[in-house]
Amino acid sequence: MPNTVVPMPPTSTAEEAPTGPLDRARLRLRLVLGAGHKLGPGKIDLLEAIEATGSITAAGRSMGMSYRRAWLLIDEANRLFTAPLVVTAAGGSGGGGARLTDLGRDLVAAFRRIEARTRAAVAEELGPFEAAFADLDAPLPER
């Protein structure tokens, strides 16, 4: 599964090239629920890929994973909720497929809103410390 990261919003103005640590920072948000169950960008990306392709196979392939891996992730995501996020139709002459339920689409939208709000909060809260960051493109200094 690709390492999904969300770029932080630039703290520089549009005319300036991004140069500060927050301009290059990436956010990776994952919820760790009871008993270690996780909901994060990998499952959300897979749900979006299923919505785009209509297929677990094609969605997994687009993310560089096997059908089995994609199916296991969707099965786990479905079991996190009392109603499914993804429903499937058996293959055959009419073709099979997969689609997100309303719950699945609503979850994806909510997760993306949470990411956007978190990016804004990080920029707001850490922006005042921008000049105090060490050169993070080099090894950290010894103390």
Side-chain angles (χ1 to χ4, degrees):
M1 180 172 7
N3 188 11
T4 305
V5 290
V6 179
M8 295 290 297
T11 56
S12 306
T13 64
E15 295 81 33
E16 301 172 13
T19 59
L22 292 180
D23 291 326
R24 295 185 310 272
R26 298 172 303 184
L27 174 71
R28 186 162 171 83
L29 180 66
R30 177 181 325 218
L31 302 174
V32 180
L33 306 164
H37 302 296
K38 298 176 184 107
L39 179 64
K43 286 185 181 97
I44 297 297
D45 288 349
L46 183 57
L47 291 172
E48 288 177 325
I50 289 169
E51 181 77 352
T53 64
S55 161
I56 294 173
T57 301
R61 190 178 309 122
S62 75
M63 295 179 65
M65 69 177 73
S66 69
Y67 169 80
R68 177 166 168 70
R69 177 74 178 138
W71 187 89
L72 289 172
L73 288 169
I74 292 305
D75 181 58
E76 181 182 0
N78 274 343
R79 289 183 292 117
L80 290 173
F81 295 87
T82 58
L85 305 175
V86 176
V87 292
T88 59
S93 62
R99 67 173 180 79
L100 296 190
T101 63
D102 289 342
L103 177 63
R105 280 188 293 280
D106 291 346
L107 176 69
V108 168
F111 192 88
R112 295 307 186 202
R113 285 192 307 272
I114 292 167
E115 284 180 325
R117 291 168 68 182
T118 303
R119 282 191 308 272
V122 168
E124 178 182 340
E125 295 294 334
L126 294 181
F129 302 99
E130 186 93 27
F133 278 104
D135 178 2
L136 300 177
D137 291 326
L140 294 177
E142 296 292 325
R143 300 252 190 232

